[in-house]
Amino acid sequence: MIVGVLSVQGAVSEHLKHLERCAVETAAVKNIESLNKVSGLIIPGGESTTIGKLLDIFGLAEEIRSRSLQGSLAIFGTCAGMVLMAREIMDGIKEQPKLALMDISVQRNAFGRQRESFETELEFYSFDSSLTAVFIRAPLIAKSGPGVKVLARVPEGIVAARQGNLLTTSFHPELTDDLRVHQYFIEMCQNI
Amino acid sequence: MKEQGTFRVKKGMAQMQKGGVIMDVTTVEQACIAEKAGAVAVMALERVPADIRAAGGVARMADPEMILKIMDTVTIPVMAKVRIGHFAEAQILEELSVDYIDESEVLTPADEQYHINKHHFKIPFVCGARDLGEALRRISEGAAMIRTKGEPGTGNVVEAVRHMRRVMDQIRQVIGKADDELVVLAKEMGVSLEMLKEVRTAGRLPVVNFAAGGIASPADASLMMQLGSDGIFVGSGVFKAESPERVAEAIVQATLHYDDPKVLAEVSRGLGEAMPGLEMSSLNIADRMQERGI
């Protein structure tokens, strides 16, 4: 089983390193050929407008979408990845491209600008101890549909959720040494 | 408990920009062009470096009015420049809540001895460097991102290449050094031993390292990425070109596909006249911005 990281823009190497530390085979996904080899795909943090635009140009968006809808691809989106996975973006620019896979409404830069970026401890799903979460100009899930399981919250709202083969976090588990969120995703990929 | 402005949060912001292009803009319209082209951030400033060079005189922080207008218009991060050592300008930019501050040699230095103590700020800083020592000195002052200085406003990539190659070469040297040799090197570079050990362990700078200063074409962007840059700053190269929209988009694509000559050939076609360039030997030493703030 290979888990890929969408290698368009953003924190690609950080995710690859985490996956390697979880002892799973990895791939940098830059085109349809490399996408076809992976069972799971991480969409890293970066600038969602940039990643979205480049996904469209190279036809990757359609392929990711169709593989996900077929059920042959697990996806984990962090930060910008969350924005791209959402069905609805509450304050995006008009032509904001999106994968529109998850039944969530996302507010971009929900905590403010970079000055308001922060780290905090939070409880994540069934993990037996709290997790340090790093939020950088992070989005927030403002609304979620009935099929969406909430995995973590902060006082402002939902910051991690799962819907079937889709996992998303507002924060960046690739920026701390804690591998648990990646391990959780790898388990999802194994059940594909 | 929320903890804001930690080094991890500041450095993380730069990590999210990797593989991207940050463009200098002087108006709201230019900021929109940059965002539309796929820039990961814009640098709001009064004049692009080529015009600062031509105008002469003292170049200062941009008018907050203009910076705020750009912040209101685009959703991507907005950076702005302050003069080297001018912490009051930085305090103003922090109050405006710009996303990143560039303590930049492009503006006229305000302090010939001290850089800003960047640890005091919640906003991350990027600083220019020509070699590993400069880069690590800036990081020890709190810089969360480094860029090559290159020679701004020239449209000539030669200095950016020199600086990137030097940093990479010095990192390779550090990797091969024994502990006792590192002690001497630390002294020579004016940096701490701990920091050099960190570089040796990681095999790279402890923060993201972009290329800047003279990048004017998609091929320039690809060259810098292949030399090991994490991303690209384009100053005058976009809006001093004949068709900024197309050059902006082409440089974004070239940065992403820096190792794919087929894409590079495609995006380089028919871009119109690039910005006019300057030959280094035609610059007086006094006009070289890279000598500022070492």
Side-chain angles (χ1 to χ4, degrees):
Chain A
M1 184 192 73
I2 305 176
V3 181
V5 179
L6 183 68
S7 179
V8 164
Q9 189 272 314
V12 177
S13 60
E14 290 80 356
H15 275 294
L16 284 169
K17 270 190 204 131
H18 264 46
L19 290 171
E20 281 158 19
R21 286 177 58 199
C22 293
V24 68
E25 198 177 338
T26 63
V29 172
K30 223 172 183 174
N31 49 38
I32 291 181
E33 199 190 5
S34 46
L35 178 66
N36 286 336
K37 292 181 189 149
V38 303
S39 314
L41 180 69
I42 294 179
I43 305 178
E47 277 310 311
S48 57
T49 41
T50 307
I51 299 176
K53 184 186 162 69
L54 297 168
L55 274 181
D56 270 353
I57 292 174
F58 299 101
L60 273 169
E62 249 337 286
E63 192 63 20
I64 292 170
R65 226 181 109 72
S66 72
R67 288 251 343 251
S68 170
L69 294 172
Q70 282 164 22
S72 67
L73 184 71
I75 303 177
F76 172 23
T78 54
C79 196
M82 172 186 280
V83 176
L84 291 161
M85 288 165 81
R87 285 255 170 83
E88 194 191 5
I89 297 158
M90 302 182 71
D91 55 352
I93 55 172
K94 259 189 208 134
E95 62 269 57
Q96 170 97 43
K98 39 190 162 172
L99 297 168
L101 286 165
M102 243 181 136
D103 195 9
I104 52 175
S105 296
V106 166
Q107 192 188 346
R108 288 183 63 187
N109 304 335
F111 299 90
R113 304 191 72 96
Q114 174 60 19
R115 192 176 60 183
E116 282 74 49
S117 292
F118 64 99
E119 48 184 271
T120 192
E121 294 290 309
L122 52 78
E123 303 301 321
F124 187 96
Y125 182 50
S126 61
F127 293 178
D128 51 13
S129 61
S130 66
L131 185 89
T132 305
V134 182
F135 293 79
I136 295 172
R137 285 172 49 99
L140 194 65
I141 301 177
K143 280 184 287 184
S144 62
V148 177
K149 182 157 79 175
V150 174
L151 301 179
R153 287 176 191 276
V154 293
E156 289 85 350
I158 303 167
V159 293
R162 178 176 175 181
Q163 180 183 2
N165 295 326
L166 305 168
L167 173 68
T168 191
T169 62
S170 304
F171 54 90
H172 294 281
E174 79 281 9
L175 295 185
T176 64
D177 287 329
D178 196 326
L179 298 174
R180 288 178 293 173
V181 180
H182 285 78
Q183 279 157 350
Y184 179 80
F185 178 61
I186 290 167
E187 277 172 38
M188 283 172 58
C189 300
Q190 281 159 346
N191 294 322
I192 274 290
Chain B
M1 249 290 282
K2 274 188 191 175
E3 243 191 304
Q4 294 175 336
T6 63
F7 194 64
R8 179 154 58 187
V9 163
K10 294 198 272 192
K11 176 180 154 179
M13 168 70 194
Q15 287 169 277
M16 298 310 138
Q17 306 260 294
K18 284 193 304 175
V21 181
I22 299 168
M23 295 181 196
D24 279 3
V25 298
T26 57
T27 62
V28 168
E29 292 70 34
Q30 291 183 354
C32 291
I33 291 172
E35 181 174 53
K36 206 159 162 262
V40 291
V42 291
M43 175 81 70
L45 70 176
E46 208 92 43
R47 299 189 178 110
V48 293
D51 290 336
I52 291 176
R53 196 175 276 292
V58 174
R60 311 180 181 88
M61 176 188 78
D63 183 342
E65 181 74 16
M66 185 273 275
I67 298 171
L68 286 169
K69 272 190 196 151
I70 290 174
M71 285 167 61
D72 283 342
T73 310
V74 295
T75 65
I76 55 177
V78 177
M79 304 186 174
K81 287 185 194 293
V82 298
R83 286 178 264 177
I84 290 172
H86 207 314
F87 54 84
E89 283 186 348
Q91 287 161 352
I92 292 170
L93 289 185
E94 180 159 68
E95 185 56 33
L96 300 180
S97 199
V98 301
D99 295 294
Y100 232 98
I101 296 172
D102 184 0
E103 186 182 19
S104 177
E105 68 281 4
V106 168
L107 305 182
T108 312
D111 192 322
E112 291 186 334
Q113 195 173 4
Y114 298 107
H115 279 72
I116 296 171
N117 182 345
K118 296 165 273 285
H119 293 293
H120 284 171
F121 292 81
K122 281 187 178 168
I123 309 246
F125 277 73
V126 55
C127 287
R130 298 174 305 171
D131 55 41
L132 185 60
E134 262 188 72
L136 295 178
R137 289 194 295 277
R138 298 295 86 76
I139 295 167
S140 67
E141 294 155 4
M145 180 185 197
I146 293 294
R147 54 170 175 72
T148 59
K149 284 179 166 173
E151 190 53 45
T154 59
N156 188 342
V157 79
V158 67
E159 294 301 305
V161 168
R162 188 193 318 280
H163 301 161
M164 187 57 74
R165 278 202 185 273
R166 194 183 288 150
V167 168
M168 293 301 167
D169 179 47
Q170 289 173 314
I171 289 173
R172 282 190 293 269
Q173 286 175 30
V174 167
I175 291 171
K177 295 266 187 223
D179 276 359
D180 45 355
E181 295 166 339
L182 271 196
V183 174
V184 175
L185 195 62
K187 210 164 117 191
E188 280 169 13
M189 285 186 175
V191 302
S192 75
L193 179 62
E194 288 65 38
M195 209 155 230
L196 278 188
K197 282 186 175 168
E198 204 181 324
V199 169
R200 187 175 62 181
T201 309
R204 58 158 296 146
L205 280 183
V207 301
V208 164
N209 183 19
F210 271 44
I215 293 142
S217 71
D220 287 350
S222 163
L223 175 67
M224 295 313 299
M225 292 299 285
Q226 292 190 57
L227 289 175
S229 305
D230 291 314
I232 303 288
F233 279 93
V234 188
S236 322
V238 171
F239 292 101
K240 282 286 159 192
E242 192 183 335
S243 20
E245 286 91 347
R246 294 172 59 199
V247 172
E249 194 147 318
I251 291 180
V252 169
Q253 305 245 13
T255 303
L256 166 65
H257 291 282
Y258 67 89
D259 53 355
D260 186 343
K262 205 171 144 189
V263 176
L264 295 171
E266 189 55 39
V267 302
S268 300
R269 285 174 65 175
L271 292 178
E273 195 75 34
M275 72 174 283
L278 274 179
E279 168 56 40
M280 285 309 137
S281 57
S282 71
L283 281 184
N284 290 322
I285 288 287
D287 294 331
R288 283 160 62 103
M289 293 173 173
Q290 60 176 283
E291 314 293 341
R292 297 165 164 179
I294 54 177

